[in-house]
Amino acid sequence: MTMEKAKDYAELSEMAAARIISKLSTKPDSVLGLATGSTPEGMYEALIKAYKERNVSFAEAVTFNLDEYVGLESNDENSYAYYMNKKLFSHIDISPENAHLPNGKSDDLDAACADYERMIENAGGIDLQVIGIGLNGHIGFNEPHTPFEQRTHIVELDETTRNANARFFADLDSVPKHAITMGIQNIMESKELLLLVAGEQKASVLERLVYGDKTEAFPASIIKDHPNVTIIADQGALSGLKAADYQTGD
Ligand code: GLP
């Protein structure tokens, strides 16, 4: 596990975008795993800028998002499909048929999970998966006590997660109770993992990830077993760690 320190959120976003740009320059048809939430927003802005400056193209790229709420239309502004279109896809040259999210509006959600698995497999698996981390250690929407071997599935969202995400909705009651998410096993099968952690509110989460044990009670703890994982964290998120435990980049 490699840790890279960013001095602030802007630098974290640039560093994360640089990883994706570099991946696409060596393999233009890379399969990218993408995440939502506040943390990757700056990375998406940096990618759009790089695209406009002709420093990257997504023309051959294929993407799979980690998760989607159950029951929201893709044009609902709280759906992750809407988020991705607004914050990235509509600004770059990706083919819409290559940009995938789980279908949380399916009448048959189990079939939607199986379809998603099949699509990832047919694409050859994920080359680089970007993830964030929830306050309870969730990755994607894999809440505490999700079995590590779980694949794409439907989850009942934890109250911590619904409360944390309520800021995007009119009120807590409007936050969906279920989501469809890639499983921890899917995340672990990605050839490369990039975890982004920003802000002091994530300091104790990162501390637990780095110093704590591997346990299903803290889903992100599994990533320590991944052979190729990089964590990019900003100063605030790193405030609970000993300096010797991360590279300063100086
Ligand atoms: C959300 C998403 C996760 C995301 C996490 C952290 O619930 N499902 O994929 O990583 O919570 O979000 P944020 O970056 O806003 O802190």
Side-chain angles (χ1 to χ4, degrees), residues 6-227:
K7 66 175 186 298
D8 54 21
Y9 180 67
E11 190 176 70
L12 173 148
S13 302
E14 290 293 336
M15 287 163 71
R19 297 288 294 236
I20 292 190
I21 294 166
S22 145
K23 177 67 52 193
L24 286 169
S25 74
T26 48
K27 188 178 182 226
D29 60 349
S30 287
V31 180
L32 303 173
L34 299 178
T36 51
S38 306
T39 313
E41 287 184 10
M43 176 187 79
Y44 293 139
E45 281 169 25
L47 286 173
I48 293 167
K49 185 165 171 282
Y51 167 70
K52 290 192 171 146
E53 290 168 353
R54 297 174 192 271
N55 291 329
V56 66
S57 168
F58 298 82
E60 294 175 52
V62 177
T63 65
F64 287 94
N65 264 77
L66 281 168
D67 45 18
E68 177 60 289
Y69 288 112
V70 165
L72 300 188
E73 297 290 345
S74 58
N75 61 2
D76 184 309
E77 55 184 51
N78 281 309
S79 74
Y80 286 161
Y82 184 93
Y83 170 113
M84 289 308 300
N85 280 327
K86 183 160 176 233
K87 296 190 192 291
L88 182 67
F89 298 150
S90 64
H91 305 279
I92 59 171
D93 59 346
I94 192 161
S95 303
E97 66 273 17
N98 284 344
H100 308 279
L101 283 100
N103 180 6
K105 274 301 286 177
S106 173
D107 292 336
D108 186 342
L109 291 168
D110 288 334
C113 293
D115 285 349
Y116 210 56
E117 289 282 326
R118 208 169 309 116
M119 286 190 281
I120 296 172
E121 197 185 321
N122 290 344
I126 294 170
D127 292 308
L128 172 63
Q129 174 70 59
V130 179
I131 57 173
I133 186 169
L135 293 172
N136 57 9
H138 75 231
I139 47 177
F141 265 137
N142 293 285
E143 299 286 23
H145 305 292
T146 304
F148 283 149
E149 58 281 358
Q150 187 83 270
R151 307 194 66 85
T152 304
H153 64 289
I154 307 299
V155 280
E156 183 173 347
L157 298 175
D158 202 272
E159 277 316 293
T160 323
T161 303
R162 292 186 66 244
N163 276 306
N165 290 355
R167 66 191 193 277
F168 300 112
F169 292 79
D171 50 40
L172 182 60
D173 282 346
S174 316
V175 184
K177 294 197 166 60
H178 295 89
I180 180 165
T181 184
M182 273 188 211
I184 291 174
Q185 193 60 42
N186 300 92
I187 293 170
M188 290 300 282
E189 282 170 9
S190 162
K191 294 172 191 92
E192 195 176 336
L193 268 184
L194 182 61
L195 169 65
L196 308 180
V197 197
E200 244 171 86
Q201 74 281 7
K202 294 279 174 73
S204 58
V205 185
L206 186 58
E207 196 179 334
R208 182 166 177 192
L209 172 64
V210 173
Y211 301 124
D213 293 334
K214 184 174 87 177
T215 164
E216 287 178 352
F218 191 75
S221 60
I222 186 77
I223 70 168
K224 288 194 215 176
D225 283 354
H226 193 286

